[in-house]
Amino acid sequence: MANVPEMIDVPNALKSKVSYGPDGVDAATIERAEQIIAGMQDQYLVWVQEDLRKIQAGYDKVRAMPVEDRKDSIRYVFDVAHDMKGQGGSFGFPLMTNVANNLCRFIETRPQFGNAEMDAIRVHIDVLRLIMAEGITGDGGPRGEKLMRGLELVVEKFAK
Amino acid sequence: MGIKLERVNFMIVDDNPPIRSMVRQVLRTMGVALVREASDGSDALIQMRSEVPDILVTDWVMSPMDGIELTRYIRKSENSPNHFMPIIMMTGFGERRRVFEARDAGVNEFLVKPLSAAALFSRINAVIERPRQFVRVGEFFGPDRRRRKDEWSGDERRGKPPPPGQAKQPPSPSPMSQSEINQVFNP
């Protein structure tokens, strides 16, 4: 028997908590908030070094394991990469987001992590480190495009 | 004339302190007075015992309790502090299957990182100004994906396969844009 949807009107308690006025959120407020995000870039440069250290340490640990034990442990590398993906673009380093995204997708889709897969992960980590070492902001222009294409070629080998 | 948020109580749930700090500062700039932080879903639920937020902004990937598990708990558990709590998921995941998984867990709005203040405010504004009815059907309980009461198509669930000959295009593995995601959550 098909389920009959039960529709529920929810009292909008939030609406009663807000008001409207000239000192409310407007375009200038949003712009100030965007500037605050941009202004945190200096802090990001410190945080990302810690993330790079964590992802390398996580990688080294997994690499030292027997192949059959790597699948579960690679999750830590994924989680750090996922954090880096979320942060990079917010702080002016969208290429970090793109590379970390590529790495996350690769880890998600591999059934196992032999040495070839681990080499591919290492290349991604090396590129993340390179971007920060050279301070490649924005999408990196032609250099960024070349780096991304190189990583895509690395991943494509595993799709065959 | 803009909306004033100083009386709206937020909770940010993210295991990444820098992201929590960033969201907190963005909310403060928008005039929000009360922002609390939790490092994962279980930490959030513990904190909600003392004060229930008006709006929850949560990451997806966290341990031990992730953002999807937290959403399901809030929507379905008999111990939930508020089954109707507005939940904005803020995550690096933008793939179609992830977006729909979040929607089917009962998330109100979905925001893809990297974060922008404009995108966050847009989703906050949506849950305040355009709240949806809730629907209970089958295993699902959460915000209805349709704005109007008279649009019910009779389908039991959103994921119901289309009739033969009307098959939709296969889902793309590439991430969805924020505007595409907004359409999924606000048709």
Side-chain angles (χ1 to χ4, degrees):
Chain A
M1 191 176 80
N3 290 308
V4 176
E6 175 193 357
M7 307 304 296
I8 302 157
D9 282 315
V10 184
N12 190 355
L14 269 175
K15 191 75 176 170
S16 65
K17 284 198 159 192
V18 300
S19 56
Y20 301 84
D23 54 344
V25 179
D26 57 12
T29 312
I30 299 299
E31 180 53 32
R32 279 201 305 279
E34 302 288 15
Q35 289 304 317
I36 282 176
I37 294 174
M40 293 177 78
Q41 195 180 78
D42 287 348
Q43 295 171 57
Y44 169 70
L45 296 177
V46 176
W47 304 328
V48 76
Q49 291 305 325
E50 176 62 11
D51 283 340
L52 286 169
R53 189 198 62 73
K54 286 195 296 188
I55 201 169
Q56 184 66 52
Y59 172 85
D60 291 344
K61 188 175 171 186
V62 176
R63 180 86 196 208
M65 292 176 172
V67 172
E68 60 272 20
D69 294 342
R70 290 175 179 168
K71 176 85 175 165
D72 290 338
S73 302
I74 202 74
R75 177 77 202 185
Y76 178 77
V77 175
F78 175 91
D79 287 350
V80 179
H82 191 265
D83 282 346
M84 296 174 88
K85 175 188 169 186
Q87 291 178 10
S90 299
F91 297 108
F93 290 87
L95 192 56
M96 289 290 282
T97 291
N98 294 343
V99 173
N101 180 51
N102 223 47
L103 176 53
C104 286
R105 296 292 76 75
F106 180 74
I107 293 174
E108 272 191 321
T109 53
R110 300 318 305 160
Q112 64 168 11
F113 293 90
N115 289 343
E117 285 85 355
M118 293 306 293
D119 286 345
I121 292 171
R122 182 182 51 75
V123 170
H124 282 80
I125 295 172
D126 288 347
V127 171
L128 289 169
R129 193 180 294 109
L130 177 77
I131 294 167
M132 296 316 299
E134 299 196 2
I136 303 175
T137 53
D139 64 4
R143 181 94 193 279
E145 203 173 302
K146 194 173 173 185
L147 286 169
M148 285 307 299
R149 183 63 195 141
L151 292 176
E152 282 160 14
L153 287 173
V154 167
V155 171
E156 278 172 16
K157 286 182 188 170
F158 291 88
K160 291 175 182 172
Chain B
M1 296 284 277
I3 191 166
K4 297 167 73 172
L5 299 171
E6 72 261 26
R7 292 178 57 222
V8 181
N9 169 357
F10 282 78
M11 180 181 282
I12 307 160
V13 191
D14 198 308
D15 59 350
N16 195 312
I19 293 289
R20 292 202 306 264
S21 172
M22 182 170 65
V23 177
R24 171 188 284 274
Q25 292 192 49
V26 167
L27 291 174
R28 283 281 167 83
T29 304
M30 292 177 188
V32 176
L34 185 54
V35 183
R36 283 181 303 142
E37 298 179 18
S39 58
D40 81 291
S42 52
D43 183 22
L45 290 172
I46 290 168
Q47 293 198 43
M48 285 178 201
R49 289 177 192 161
S50 56
E51 187 157 8
V52 181
D54 297 313
I55 296 178
L56 183 72
V57 180
T58 182
D59 187 21
W60 184 316
V61 178
M62 297 175 291
S63 182
M65 182 185 235
D66 69 26
I68 291 292
E69 292 167 319
L70 173 62
T71 299
R72 290 192 180 119
Y73 185 95
I74 288 170
R75 293 290 178 249
K76 293 186 173 178
S77 170
E78 62 182 29
N79 296 319
S80 169
N82 175 9
H83 292 109
F84 305 111
M85 185 184 299
I87 301 174
I88 300 172
M89 177 154 281
M90 187 180 67
T91 173
F93 291 132
E95 296 75 17
R96 181 173 293 270
R97 71 178 176 88
R98 298 279 193 174
V99 171
F100 280 77
E101 185 179 348
R103 187 193 66 169
D104 293 343
V107 161
N108 294 68
E109 299 289 341
F110 193 97
L111 190 56
V112 182
K113 294 176 186 171
L115 177 70
S116 81
L120 177 59
F121 177 68
S122 163
R123 299 303 93 211
I124 292 169
N125 201 52
V127 298
I128 295 172
E129 301 288 359
R130 302 190 299 280
R132 295 194 294 277
Q133 287 182 301
F134 268 56
V135 60
R136 188 189 312 278
V137 56
E139 292 293 310
F140 177 77
F141 174 73
D144 188 14
R145 270 81 59 164
R146 298 152 305 128
R147 289 282 176 207
R148 295 167 48 202
K149 293 178 184 177
D150 58 356
E151 288 179 347
W152 183 257
S153 66
D155 287 353
E156 181 175 312
R157 57 189 171 89
R158 296 284 159 184
K160 187 175 181 178
Q166 298 178 28
K168 295 176 181 171
Q169 290 188 341
S172 164
S174 57
M176 299 171 76
S177 70
Q178 184 64 56
S179 60
E180 287 173 326
I181 292 169
N182 293 348
Q183 281 296 312
V184 170
F185 283 80
N186 301 278

